[in-house]
Amino acid sequence: MIFVTGGGGYIGSVVVRLLVENDYEVIVYDNLSRGHLSAIDKRAIFIKGDLADKDLLLEVFKTYPIEAVLHFASYIEVGESVKYPTIFFDNNVKNCINLLNSMCENGCYKIIFSSSAAVYGEPLSLPIRENHPLLPINPYGETKRLIEELLFSYEKYCGLKFISLRYFNVAGAYDNLGEDHRPETHLIPLIVKAALGKERIFKIYGDDYPTKDGTCIRDYIHVYDLAIAHILALKKLLKEEKSEVYNLGSEKGYSVKEVFETACEVIGKKIPYEIVERRPGDVPILIASSEKIKKELGWKRERGDLKIIIKDTFEWQKNFPFGYPD
Ligand code: UFG
């Protein structure tokens, strides 16, 4: 069985759907503080639980024959992490230690970890490869870096094997599963909300960055392509006794202005916008090299085009105008 923390979240729910479709038996563990019950595939076993609850975690690991863990549950917002760093260390790092301990104390030694491009900080070279120094510039990225360090320690001292997937900017929707963060802070869903009149105006956070048009450049990856990479990583992890770290991005950079203009074109609307102050914690540019995962796992992008990513987000928001019901 495969144990998925945060399976009610945006990325977790898509991966759970693909796991089930690929005939894996899945247990979702989520406290639903940020995830959505209706996003969890009904074919998975659902346990409402918190990673702070060590007793419940131990009971679950004793009850079910868990072969591997996919760990999505975490706080993800850069801005929030700058404001409330201690909550991030508590929820992301401390709770991850609870999970790793429960695993190792019960003979489960395989984990796929949702890491982030935020571990790199301001890139010293582009595209960013996995061996780029880890110099996060916000508490969120710091928590992901710390957990990666812990994974290496657990490998050394407890025999854990892991695959850490460093996500770049994930967007889009799959089937009836989409992005519903409350509040929403991510670029593409916010542009779409402004297009649908759910936000008064779209705000560009700063146009004085050292980039071609002054707005930040990011590498956008479709949630489906990202989810497929988890299935490939899981297969490898179940087969081989080897830990790995992989970037997951599209290897293309788009500025905030370019994403906005593409969205106006795809949606066929002049979306209202304004330029406002920079958002603390943002780096000017992030572009991935995903050569390693392409070469080693045979991963390829099927829905990589930015227009498809925006269109899928738009369709999902039209179908779920108020987001998930629960
Ligand atoms: N942005 C705006 N206006 C908005 C929202 C965002 O201009 O209303 C800008 C941001 O300033 C940034 C870019 O759009 O320059 C992307 O911002 P997002 O909030 O969509 O994404 P981030 O790059 O800040 O972070 C996301 C995830 C992180 C992950 C990172 C990896 O939230 O968890 O991608 O690249 F680490």
Side-chain angles (χ1 to χ4, degrees), residues 37-311:
L37 186 61
S38 52
I40 301 170
D41 196 291
K42 298 284 173 287
R43 292 165 289 184
I45 296 171
F46 172 57
I47 297 168
K48 186 167 183 231
D50 199 297
L51 289 172
D53 188 343
K54 291 187 202 174
D55 293 340
L56 181 59
L57 269 178
L58 281 177
E59 191 189 315
V60 173
F61 275 92
K62 283 202 190 316
T63 308
Y64 297 100
I66 296 171
E67 280 171 281
V69 172
L70 278 80
H71 178 38
F72 295 96
S74 89
Y75 291 162
I76 58 158
E77 251 180 62
V78 171
E80 187 187 9
S81 80
V82 174
K83 239 173 156 174
Y84 308 109
T86 56
I87 296 179
F88 271 66
F89 289 116
D90 194 59
N91 188 61
N92 291 7
V93 184
K94 201 175 90 187
N95 285 350
C96 182
I97 294 177
N98 290 345
L99 174 65
L100 296 177
N101 287 346
S102 306
M103 288 173 64
C104 293
E105 286 163 13
N106 290 283
C108 176
Y109 295 105
K110 303 213 162 175
I111 184 167
I112 293 178
F113 172 59
S114 300
S115 187
S116 165
V119 296
Y120 295 116
E122 292 209 23
L124 306 173
S125 57
L126 289 166
I128 304 172
R129 293 181 202 289
E130 289 81 355
N131 59 3
H132 185 285
L134 305 186
L135 304 164
I137 62 155
N138 52 56
Y140 167 70
E142 194 65 63
T143 63
K144 294 287 177 180
R145 190 195 64 77
L146 283 165
I147 295 169
E148 286 198 359
E149 216 174 299
L150 281 169
L151 292 173
F152 282 105
S153 300
Y154 275 77
E155 175 175 38
K156 193 167 162 193
Y157 297 110
C158 310
L160 187 84
K161 297 291 167 204
F162 67 88
I163 292 183
S164 182
L165 298 174
R166 294 179 182 156
Y167 308 161
F168 283 65
N169 288 59
V170 189
Y174 174 63
D175 213 355
N176 60 345
L177 302 171
E179 190 166 5
D180 181 5
H181 295 117
R182 300 181 193 183
E184 189 54 75
T185 61
H186 291 126
L187 178 67
I188 292 178
L190 279 175
I191 296 175
V192 171
K193 273 178 190 278
L196 291 170
K198 302 209 150 284
E199 290 281 332
R200 186 182 61 82
I201 196 163
F202 165 64
K203 294 180 177 147
I204 295 181
Y205 295 139
D207 67 348
D208 57 350
Y209 285 95
T211 59
K212 55 191 172 185
D213 62 19
T215 64
C216 290
I217 293 175
R218 294 287 182 275
D219 177 332
Y220 295 90
I221 171 172
H222 196 291
V223 68
Y224 173 79
D225 289 335
L226 185 96
I228 287 289
H230 290 72
I231 306 294
L232 297 173
L234 179 63
K235 282 186 183 152
K236 179 181 166 75
L237 194 63
L238 291 175
K239 208 168 62 199
E240 290 172 30
E241 290 289 312
K242 196 164 175 276
S243 298
E244 288 291 355
V245 176
Y246 295 112
N247 281 342
L248 275 172
S250 73
E251 309 189 291
K252 270 192 241 138
Y254 291 95
S255 72
V256 173
K257 273 188 184 159
E258 284 172 333
V259 175
F260 176 71
E261 279 154 17
T262 310
C264 290
E265 191 192 320
V266 169
I267 297 168
K269 200 170 174 182
K270 275 199 159 206
I271 304 166
Y273 80 98
E274 63 181 341
I275 314 270
V276 298
E277 288 292 294
R278 286 182 178 199
R279 186 175 67 176
D282 280 341
V283 296
I285 180 162
L286 286 172
I287 303 173
S289 161
S290 288
E291 273 308 304
K292 188 177 171 201
I293 192 159
K294 286 199 281 190
K295 208 168 126 211
E296 293 185 12
L297 298 192
W299 177 70
K300 50 183 190 300
R301 291 179 304 124
E302 285 176 35
R303 305 188 186 185
D305 192 74
L306 181 63
K307 288 184 181 170
I308 296 178
I309 295 177
I310 293 170
K311 189 170 171 290

